[in-house]
Amino acid sequence: VGIHTLRELGGTIKARNGGNKTQAVVLHLIKRLPKLPKGSGYHVYLDNLFVSTRFIQYARFQGVAITRTCRTTSRVIKELLDLQKSDKKDVIPWGETHSRYTPNGEVCHVGWKDQAFVLIMSSFISGDERVLRLRKRPKETSSKAKTVRKPFGNQAIKVLLIPVIADGYNYHMGAVNEFDHLTAQNAGLRHVERGGHQVLEHWLLRTVLINCYLLALCSDVPEPRQVSFRSQQDFRRQLISTLITKGRDSEICPKRRISQISQEAKVPI
């Protein structure tokens, strides 16, 4: 409600409609992000929203890079569509990658054979770059077991080359779900009295605790560390015990002082 649907995202003048309304909401949310210093920008990995060439081109014009899988109806280059159709017979070997750019070179279309032939679009990452990743061998009951299990041989896990565009998408597109997962591990639920300020305050506290855990987990402090933890719960236990110890050793008295009550004060009956 109240979001203008851009004609650049599709639609026709004859039908008097704009483009994709869901994509317009995404662009509206992206515009509300804090402005970054000159020379830097955002790279958005979308989840539960299939992209189109028009959408990625317009977002690039706004200074935002987007990466996401797409449908066959999203103006994908015909050569990749033909390869996906042929993969129904499971004839494409695992790991085969095909990348093509749009005529203006703004959007990279990538087709990669994983357990199926996946179509991906990006305005930032090239489809030719690859990275090593530890992969698990799919089950024999997999729909593409004939070609997918072949690179693994007798090994249950193996380090294989996969496209950087697919690797980035796999590890970044679920950030919201990852936050929900970290929150659910130790929600710290408590009784909330009337009023919304306590809910907001508690949500901010949980957000700060999770961010502290992620910063400690991803920091490049050389080993061995003075503080080591195995999980988020372990990190919070150590944090709480350290704060209690620091408060106990503090010179400032934590007890609340009760002021003297005036003898002349009248007590209401």
Side-chain angles (χ1 to χ4, degrees), residues 190 199-210 236:
R190 63 177 181 177
V199 179
L200 180 60
E201 178 185 346
H202 189 49
W203 180 82
L204 291 173
L205 174 62
R206 288 189 298 170
T207 303
V208 170
L209 288 173
I210 292 174
R236 290 196 181 190

Side-chain angles (χ1 to χ4, degrees), residues 9-255:
L9 300 180
T12 59
I13 300 177
K14 184 178 181 180
R16 296 182 179 179
N17 58 356
N20 189 296
K21 296 181 179 181
T22 309
Q23 293 178 357
V25 173
V26 173
L27 290 174
H28 175 75
L29 295 174
I30 291 175
K31 289 180 180 179
R32 296 181 61 184
L33 293 172
K35 292 185 179 180
L36 298 177
K38 188 177 180 180
S40 59
Y42 288 104
H43 185 185
V44 181
Y45 291 88
L46 296 177
D47 190 12
N48 294 331
L49 174 65
F50 292 105
V51 297
S52 63
T53 303
R54 283 182 175 178
F55 174 63
I56 293 183
Q57 285 176 337
Y58 185 81
R60 179 184 174 121
F61 176 74
Q62 299 295 321
V64 178
I66 290 180
T67 300
R68 173 64 168 125
T69 56
C70 56
R71 290 175 173 168
T72 56
T73 57
S74 302
R75 296 191 174 186
V76 183
I77 295 176
K78 187 176 182 302
E79 181 182 347
L80 299 180
L81 294 177
D82 295 338
L83 288 171
Q84 189 184 50
K85 291 179 181 178
S86 66
D87 187 51
K88 293 181 179 179
K89 299 181 181 179
D90 197 13
V91 295
I92 300 178
W94 186 93
E96 186 171 314
T97 306
H98 299 266
S99 61
R100 300 290 185 272
Y101 283 89
T102 52
N104 52 18
E106 293 180 347
V107 182
C108 180
H109 295 203
V110 178
W112 173 53
K113 175 62 180 291
D114 192 16
Q115 294 197 27
F117 195 79
V118 184
L119 298 174
I120 308 176
M121 288 187 187
S122 178
S123 58
F124 183 74
I125 306 177
S126 171
D128 300 326
E129 300 177 12
R130 297 197 170 201
V131 64
L132 291 170
R133 280 293 181 187
L134 186 65
R135 303 295 302 273
K136 293 182 179 180
R137 182 179 58 187
K139 298 180 180 179
E140 295 181 359
T141 55
S142 173
S143 59
K144 307 291 183 179
K146 175 183 174 182
T147 56
V148 174
R149 289 173 59 90
K150 189 174 181 180
F152 292 87
N154 298 326
Q155 302 179 25
I157 57 175
K158 188 176 181 179
V159 178
L160 298 172
L161 282 171
I162 67 173
V164 172
I165 185 173
D167 180 73
Y169 173 75
N170 291 336
Y171 282 88
H172 295 296
M173 65 100 176
V176 175
N177 296 334
E178 181 65 21
F179 173 79
D180 294 339
H181 174 69
L182 292 173
T183 305
Q185 289 182 6
N186 194 339
L189 299 178
R190 63 177 181 177
H191 178 69
V192 177
E193 301 292 342
R194 178 180 294 181
H197 65 281
Q198 291 182 337
V199 179
L200 180 60
E201 178 185 346
H202 189 49
W203 180 82
L204 291 173
L205 174 62
R206 288 189 298 170
T207 303
V208 170
L209 288 173
I210 292 174
N211 286 340
C212 289
Y213 164 71
L214 293 176
L215 288 171
L217 181 67
C218 302
S219 62
D220 55 354
V221 178
E223 300 289 347
R225 296 184 178 183
Q226 294 181 354
V227 179
S228 60
F229 48 89
R230 295 174 294 178
S231 62
Q232 182 186 183
Q233 288 83 353
D234 188 20
F235 172 79
R236 290 196 181 190
R237 290 192 195 98
Q238 295 187 46
L239 177 62
I240 292 171
S241 61
T242 303
L243 290 175
I244 292 175
T245 303
K246 188 173 183 179
R248 187 186 300 118
D249 299 337
S250 176
E251 297 179 357
I252 301 176
C253 180
K255 294 183 179 181

